[in-house]
């Protein structure tokens, strides 16, 4: 049984991972990051998750670092694109080196707290968009941290979703009774999920493919159907 810290944004994937780790291992806490994202309300949902699982939750302020990572629709005055998650336009949501920065901080915390692993919810659907969500990155980061902590601590990067799609994550979470109505995915950070941005479309599609009811309130609950069809037509 691993003693684990989970990087938790408050989104569907990371909350599912938190529940999985609490069920299968010794969950020591959740760590979130404020990097100046327009949807920083997501960290409040990470707190809800921590409260339900009765574990500590830390929000690390890296806004001064985030201010250097310019050009992303998540942090700058750039419109968040609508459409399917796998469209090229979603590359505007890349925050350069975001995961590498967050993981480095989390590894330091895990080593200081005598934890065995840092768990991250990167998944198969992220690979197209984000280079620091790919299996090669996970493997390389593990190697780098083995050198960084050599002789001090042994901490592994655990990424159980890295080869599976989001709908499979929904199935895992449903089996664990994850309260998905209390998770946040939308990149626009409004009152409700917009239903139009790539991550909303991906979320809605995941519940559909998993055959599970989606409890999320969307401002535009049917947009995902057109976005999905448009993407499939472009692929054809």
């Amino acid at each position: 049984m691993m003693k684990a810290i989970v990087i938790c944004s408050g989104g569907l994937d990371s909350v599912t991972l938190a529940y999985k780790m609490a069920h299968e291992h010794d969950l020591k806490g959740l760590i979130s990051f404020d990097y100046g994202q327009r949807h920083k309300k997501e960290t409040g949902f990470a707190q809800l998750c921590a409260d339900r699982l009765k574990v500590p939750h830390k929000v690390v302020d890296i806004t001064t670092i985030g201010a250097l990572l310019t050009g992303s629709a998540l942090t700058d005055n750039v419109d968040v694109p609508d459409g399917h998650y796998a469209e090229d336009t979603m590359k505007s949501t890349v925050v350069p080196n975001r995961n590498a920065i967050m993981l480095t901080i989390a590894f330091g915390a895990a080593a200081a707290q005598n934890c065995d692993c840092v768990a991250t919810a990167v998944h198969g659907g992220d690979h197209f968009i984000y280079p620091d969500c790919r299996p090669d990155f996970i493997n390389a980061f593990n190697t780098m941290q083995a050198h960084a902590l050599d002789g001090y601590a042994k901490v592994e990067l655990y990424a159980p979703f890295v080869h599976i799609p989001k709908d499979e994550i929904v199935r895992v979470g449903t089996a664990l009774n994850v309260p998905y109505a209390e998770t946040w995915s939308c990149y626009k950070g409004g009152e409700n999920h917009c239903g139009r941005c790539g991550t909303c479309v991906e979320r809605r599609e995941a519940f559909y493919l998993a055959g599970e009811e989606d409890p999320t309130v969307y401002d535009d609950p049917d947009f995902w159907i057109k976005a999905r069809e448009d993407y499939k037509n472009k692929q054809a």
Side-chain angles (χ1 to χ4, degrees):
M1 181 176 289
M2 295 185 293
K3 292 183 290 185
I5 289 177
V6 171
I7 295 180
C8 185
S9 68
L12 183 155
D13 307 322
S14 61
V15 170
T16 300
L17 179 59
Y19 271 73
K20 177 180 171 67
M21 298 305 290
H23 181 70
E24 298 175 357
H25 299 283
D26 184 5
L27 179 59
K28 292 301 185 183
L30 309 182
I31 185 168
S32 304
F33 295 88
D34 178 357
Y35 56 94
Q37 65 270 44
R38 67 174 70 203
H39 58 299
K40 69 177 62 181
K41 66 182 290 183
E42 65 181 357
T43 60
F45 289 86
Q47 183 64 59
L48 285 176
C49 177
D51 292 344
R52 289 191 299 264
L53 295 176
K54 296 180 172 57
V55 297
H57 174 231
K58 300 291 186 183
V59 179
V60 181
D61 185 346
I62 56 170
T63 51
T64 54
I65 296 173
L68 300 174
L69 311 179
T70 57
S72 172
L74 302 192
T75 55
D76 280 5
N77 188 25
V78 177
D79 289 338
V80 175
D82 293 340
H84 198 279
Y85 195 76
E87 295 276 14
D88 282 341
T89 53
M90 280 299 293
K91 289 182 179 179
S92 68
T93 65
V94 171
V95 179
N97 241 30
R98 177 181 60 176
N99 279 357
I101 293 165
M102 293 177 181
L103 285 169
T104 299
I105 295 170
F107 261 74
Q113 296 174 36
N114 297 313
C115 289
D116 303 305
C117 78
V118 172
T120 180
V122 300
H123 67 87
D126 286 336
H127 299 170
F128 174 78
I129 307 293
Y130 306 117
D132 54 2
C133 290
R134 297 171 187 161
D136 284 350
F137 169 80
I138 298 297
N139 295 335
F141 193 91
N142 253 329
T143 300
M144 182 268 289
Q145 283 298 320
H147 290 291
L149 294 171
D150 184 36
Y152 180 80
K154 185 176 181 181
V155 182
E156 295 291 327
L157 180 54
Y158 183 53
F161 301 155
V162 72
H163 293 296
I164 67 173
K166 201 178 192 79
D167 55 289
E168 185 58 33
I169 296 174
V170 170
R171 294 186 185 96
V172 170
T174 299
L176 293 169
N177 296 313
V178 173
Y180 282 126
E182 298 180 9
T183 62
W184 186 266
S185 297
C186 182
Y187 282 158
K188 296 184 181 180
E191 181 67 23
N192 301 318
H193 283 72
C194 73
R196 299 180 64 90
C197 71
T199 191
C200 278
V201 170
E202 182 197 39
R203 180 184 175 109
R204 182 66 188 88
E205 184 180 43
F207 279 99
Y208 168 76
L209 293 174
E212 300 291 344
E213 182 177 354
D214 185 354
T216 313
V217 176
Y218 299 98
D219 287 334
D220 192 341
D222 297 323
F223 176 80
W224 74 278
I225 300 172
K226 180 180 184 301
R228 186 168 186 260
E229 287 303 313
D230 287 348
Y231 175 70
K232 288 168 64 177
N233 290 337
K234 287 180 181 178
Q235 292 299 103

